Amino acid sequence: MASAGLAGIVMVLGTADVLHAFALIEKEDIFKRTPCPAFLMFENAAYLADMSFELPCNCKPEEITSVVWYFQKNMGSQQTKVLTDFDGTLVVDSSHIKVGSDMLRRFSIRMFSLIVFRVQVEDSGHYICGTKKGDFFYGYDVDVQPSKGIAVAFADNDQHPQQDHKETHFTVFTIFWDWTKCNRCDVRGEQRRIGLCYVRSPSLIRRYRTTTADVASCGSRSVPKRFRDAVQVRKPEVVIRSCMTPCRTKTSSNEGEASISNVISKLGEKPWVSNVPIQFHKQSLGSALIIACPGARPEHAVAWDKDSTRLYLTKFLVGVNKSMRVFIDHGNHLHIRFAQMNDKGMYSCWREGQMVAGFRLSVVYESRRKRTLDDPETQYAVKTILTSYVLITLLFVTIHIVRCCLYACRCTPVK
């Protein structure tokens, strides 16, 4: 029986090797069927800031076993970043990436494809797949549009998306993605629909390849320079509406948890077992806090609750009220500015219609806390003081100029 089991294992491993070789052959066949263009062109792609994207190297010679990706901000620029891990095996944990970090710390190459995490507006430009010798195979024209200042429309309040803007030589409009899933279940939730800015014009530069003829994203390099200032005035937008969806049937608690609970219940009251992981956090009074939903990305449907209070986007989305202390940004992060005692409680995070995590927040008072210039409250205080100083100075100068003018008018002799 042991010999038979060993033979079975060998057979399974041999089959796995055959399947792996078959997968590699299929991958090579794809490149055989996709010849590289004789003249390098760039495929247009648009994303919203803080998203992650993958750019496949759609063609390459059969004998090439590893690729190098190049990044150029503008065509013909002397400043070119070489994006390579030399082996194509670098794995990056996107949860550990900081916003605004350099692109060289936010990319990975997997099976000839380039993956860039948490892209920023500065990452817009040309991405070229090639070799370390300088041979180029395929190119992308990536347009990362800003989430700051995004136009928001609440469908429940009878608000509508932006109208198309037509000029003599071009038309600017919005292309919307599909509606996200309802971000809560069994209770009233919300859906989002992200829209990116696009332009239609017969004057687009033909070296750039687009899905629809004469249509490209507003930040694409295919848009002629004489149009860009007028085109890029338009911002991306998001439409939000209410929704209702039932929760999926949940399985009972794990066997280990149930057995432990049953043992403890014999000694006293059966303990409460949470269905989602809970983190405990202490925050200093008056400091700022940003909470991220585990595994969530900007394009996901995410919702936040505080205890039994629903933090709906119609009231807590950033920009709804300029003086908001607690708000949710377009990347689905929950912000608390100047934490107060009444901020303590349980914050629950929903992702794609399912509750996935809880954060037990407690606010504590620290009598001695060293302030630094990196603290958001310190920066806010400095900005407030400087703004007040500038306003007072301008008022002082204006008053004296007016007084001098009045004095000069009174002293002017009448002929």
Side-chain angles (χ1 to χ4, degrees):
M1 291 182 63
S3 300
L6 182 60
I9 293 174
V10 172
M11 183 177 296
V12 170
L13 293 177
T15 305
D17 291 337
V18 171
L19 291 176
H20 180 66
F22 179 75
L24 291 178
I25 292 174
E26 285 295 313
K27 190 71 175 179
E28 292 174 358
D29 287 342
I30 291 175
F31 291 114
K32 288 180 181 179
R33 295 194 301 266
T34 309
C36 293
F39 185 71
L40 183 64
M41 300 185 67
F42 296 91
E43 182 178 338
N44 180 230
Y47 304 93
L48 193 65
D50 285 332
M51 290 184 174
S52 300
F53 62 73
E54 178 179 358
L55 304 178
C57 188
N58 286 333
C59 73
K60 70 172 186 63
E62 182 182 356
E63 63 273 10
I64 300 298
T65 58
S66 63
V67 298
V68 175
W69 283 86
Y70 298 88
F71 170 74
Q72 278 188 339
K73 188 69 176 177
N74 298 302
M75 180 59 60
S77 174
Q78 298 298 324
Q79 296 180 353
T80 302
K81 289 184 178 181
V82 181
L83 308 178
T84 178
D85 54 13
F86 301 104
D87 295 322
T89 56
L90 180 66
V91 177
V92 179
D93 186 356
S94 59
S95 62
H96 296 161
I97 295 175
K98 297 180 180 180
V99 177
S101 59
D102 189 81
M103 187 200 305
L104 296 177
R105 300 181 180 180
R106 291 186 283 107
F107 82 94
S108 175
I109 298 177
R110 304 176 189 174
M111 289 299 295
F112 313 116
S113 296
L114 175 68
I115 303 174
V116 182
F117 301 95
R118 305 196 71 170
V119 294
Q120 303 300 307
V121 178
E122 296 77 18
D123 298 336
S124 299
H126 300 92
Y127 291 82
I128 307 171
C129 172
T131 64
K132 60 182 179 181
K133 295 181 180 180
D135 299 326
F136 300 144
F137 308 134
Y138 204 84
Y140 289 90
D141 167 36
V142 175
D143 172 25
V144 181
Q145 301 186 9
S147 58
K148 186 176 182 180
I150 192 171
V152 181
F154 296 103
D156 296 346
N157 297 339
D158 200 25
Q159 298 177 359
H160 304 282
Q162 303 175 85
Q163 297 292 329
D164 296 352
H165 177 71
K166 296 183 179 181
E167 294 285 346
T168 305
H169 301 288
F170 63 87
T171 301
V172 185
F173 60 99
T174 301
I175 294 182
F176 284 95
W177 296 5
D178 293 336
W179 287 100
T180 63
K181 295 181 179 179
C182 197
N183 57 13
R184 294 179 178 88
C185 62
D186 283 349
V187 295
R188 184 177 75 87
E190 292 172 319
Q191 290 176 291
R192 294 191 312 161
R193 196 179 188 188
I194 297 175
L196 299 180
C197 176
Y198 280 80
V199 60
R200 179 185 291 109
S201 174
S203 303
L204 298 180
I205 301 175
R206 298 303 174 186
R207 189 173 184 180
Y208 295 85
R209 183 184 307 169
T210 57
T211 304
T212 306
D214 297 335
V215 174
S217 60
C218 292
S220 170
R221 270 56 179 179
S222 64
V223 179
K225 291 183 178 180
R226 64 182 185 274
F227 297 161
R228 289 180 186 174
D229 291 339
V231 167
Q232 293 182 355
V233 172
R234 189 184 183 98
K235 299 295 184 182
E237 53 187 312
V238 59
V239 181
I240 299 171
R241 69 180 183 185
S242 298
C243 58
M244 282 286 294
T245 185
C247 289
R248 293 178 296 181
T249 55
K250 298 181 180 179
T251 58
S252 59
S253 60
N254 295 333
E255 184 178 353
E257 293 180 353
S259 60
I260 294 174
S261 300
N262 291 332
V263 170
I264 297 177
S265 64
K266 295 179 180 179
L267 303 177
E269 185 179 357
K270 187 175 181 178
W272 170 75
V273 179
S274 174
N275 293 324
V276 297
I278 296 178
Q279 298 180 16
F280 295 86
H281 181 75
K282 288 184 179 181
Q283 189 69 16
S284 301
L285 182 67
S287 60
L289 175 66
I290 302 176
I291 308 176
C293 187
R297 298 193 299 270
E299 61 269 28
H300 284 165
V302 177
W304 291 93
D305 297 341
K306 181 192 175 184
D307 297 327
S308 59
T309 303
R310 314 289 181 193
L311 306 182
Y312 288 111
L313 296 176
T314 49
K315 293 183 178 180
F316 289 92
L317 184 64
V318 59
V320 173
N321 188 345
K322 299 298 182 181
S323 61
M324 297 172 68
R325 192 181 59 82
V326 179
F327 60 89
I328 302 170
D329 65 17
H330 294 290
N332 297 320
H333 302 103
L334 178 64
H335 294 247
I336 301 178
R337 297 177 57 188
F338 311 113
Q340 299 178 0
M341 287 300 181
N342 57 4
D343 290 328
K344 62 182 180 181
M346 173 67 75
Y347 292 84
S348 304
C349 167
W350 300 70
R351 188 187 70 228
E352 298 293 286
Q354 298 295 322
M355 189 177 294
V356 294
F359 301 87
R360 175 73 68 179
L361 177 65
S362 60
V363 181
V364 296
Y365 174 75
E366 294 183 2
S367 56
R368 294 183 179 180
R369 180 168 176 259
K370 187 178 180 180
R371 300 286 183 177
T372 63
L373 291 177
D374 295 333
D375 292 338
E377 55 269 26
T378 303
Q379 296 175 359
Y380 180 80
V382 171
K383 290 180 181 178
T384 303
I385 294 172
L386 291 177
T387 303
S388 302
Y389 178 78
V390 170
L391 292 176
I392 293 173
T393 303
L394 291 176
L395 181 61
F396 177 80
V397 173
T398 303
I399 291 174
H400 278 270
I401 291 175
V402 172
R403 290 186 61 186
C404 289
C405 292
L406 293 176
Y407 181 79
C409 291
R410 266 184 274 175
C411 295
T412 303
V414 180
K415 297 181 179 180

